[in-house]
Every structure is written in structure tokens, then in C-alpha cells.
Amino acid sequence: TPTPAPAGPERDALVEDVRLALYASKICSYAQGMNLIRQAAEDFGWAADINLSEVGRIWKGGCIIRAKFLDRIRAAYSSNPDLASLLVDPSFAADLDKCNAAWRRVVGTAIAQGLPVPAMAASLSYYDSYRRAVLPSSQLVQAQRDFFGAHTYERTDDDKVYHTRWSTDGKSSVI
């Protein structure tokens, strides 16, 4: 059962957290979109024809988006045409850092209340994935493959290959 909505200063704080979480999610959505366009350009041989700063200009001149936010995207790609992602542009990175705690509070609160926030949660996951050199999912997949088919796994603390006897004593052996 969801808890009652907060009132007074708690409500104001929640509203501000939601505003920051939405903004951070929007940055990630645009970052993903620009990265998808860049990847498609490379995959289909359009790389010489795609200018992400111009994409922002065209979108702003269109009939649907027309957001002032696109001016910042244009500026980011104009100042650094090889920008790997909006997430690493200094201005956007600073904004995301400011929004980080509020974003996590909103997603966590929504999940605790049983409220679906799929786009916001996915954007936060994308942000977290982008910031990590090594993701735990790769270790989990290796462990599952070893458990189900004895395919072995590598650990991050050395260069050896291991297999664990999952169904018996759980001891690992170096292969």
C-alpha cells in the first residue's frame, strides 16, 4: 500500500527532486539518442555526413521538439565535435552530478511505492552503466555459464581461469 503523499516542506522537497530527476533523465535520453545516431552513421557509412551539432539545430527548427535545451546540445557538439557522449561534456556532467542524489531518491521512492518509472529508472541505469569501467553483469554471466555448463570464468583480481564445482563443495579450481 502506498504511503500518503507528503505535505508542506516534504512535498516541496519531493517536487524539487522530481524536477531534477526528470532533467537528468532528459539529458540521458538525448545522450542515448545522439549516440545511436552516431553509431548508425558509422554502421551505414554516413559518418562524414552526420554533424551532431546540426542535428540539434534541425530538431530545434522542427515542429515537435523546439526545446531551448537543444541550444546546449548544439553548443556541446560545436565545441567538441568528437564528444563521446553528452554525459561527459563538462556542463552536462556537472548538471548530472547536481541531480544525482535527487534522481536516486525519486527512483528509489517510486520503486518502494510500487510505482513504475521505467524511463527514469532506465536512464539512471544507462548513466550508471556509462560511468563504470567494469559492470557486474559480465561477471554474473560468466558465473552462470560456469554453473550451467562448466565454461569457466576469469576473475578481476588475477589472470587465471577458474571453474567452481557449484553442485558439490563450491570450491574453485584454477584451470
Side-chain angles (χ1 to χ4, degrees), residues 34-165:
M34 292 298 196
N35 288 351
L36 285 169
I37 290 169
R38 175 184 285 127
Q39 188 61 53
E42 290 176 20
D43 290 352
F44 296 108
W46 311 329
D49 301 324
I50 297 296
N51 177 327
L52 294 177
S53 177
E54 280 298 294
V55 170
R57 184 191 65 76
I58 291 166
W59 284 355
K60 186 167 182 192
C63 63
I64 296 173
I65 300 175
R66 290 196 177 200
K68 290 181 185 177
F69 182 72
L70 289 166
D71 290 334
R72 292 192 54 214
I73 292 172
R74 286 182 58 207
Y77 285 109
S78 290
S79 67
N80 182 359
D82 297 322
L83 184 65
S85 172
L86 288 175
L87 303 182
V88 297
D89 173 74
S91 174
F92 286 112
D95 285 352
L96 288 166
D97 189 51
K98 289 177 196 169
C99 297
N100 193 13
W103 198 5
R104 292 176 192 288
R105 280 191 299 270
V106 169
V107 171
T109 298
I111 290 168
Q113 295 293 317
L115 300 171
V117 287
M120 193 177 290
S123 291
L124 181 57
S125 289
Y126 177 78
Y127 176 66
D128 286 340
S129 296
Y130 197 87
R131 299 180 316 139
R132 304 276 187 259
V134 177
L135 295 170
S137 59
S138 62
Q139 286 92 17
L140 178 60
V141 169
Q142 284 190 75
Q144 288 174 326
R145 291 182 71 235
D146 190 55
F147 177 84
F148 291 112
H151 293 286
T152 71
Y153 58 93
E154 296 176 13
R155 296 184 351 198
T156 57
D157 61 340
D158 67 32
D159 293 331
K160 298 173 186 155
V161 176
Y162 292 85
H163 168 66
T164 297
R165 295 183 302 255

Side-chain angles (χ1 to χ4, degrees), residues 16-29:
E16 179 61 11
D17 278 358
V18 170
R19 186 187 71 75
L20 292 170
L22 286 168
Y23 178 61
S25 296
K26 179 168 85 168
I27 293 170
C28 279
S29 294

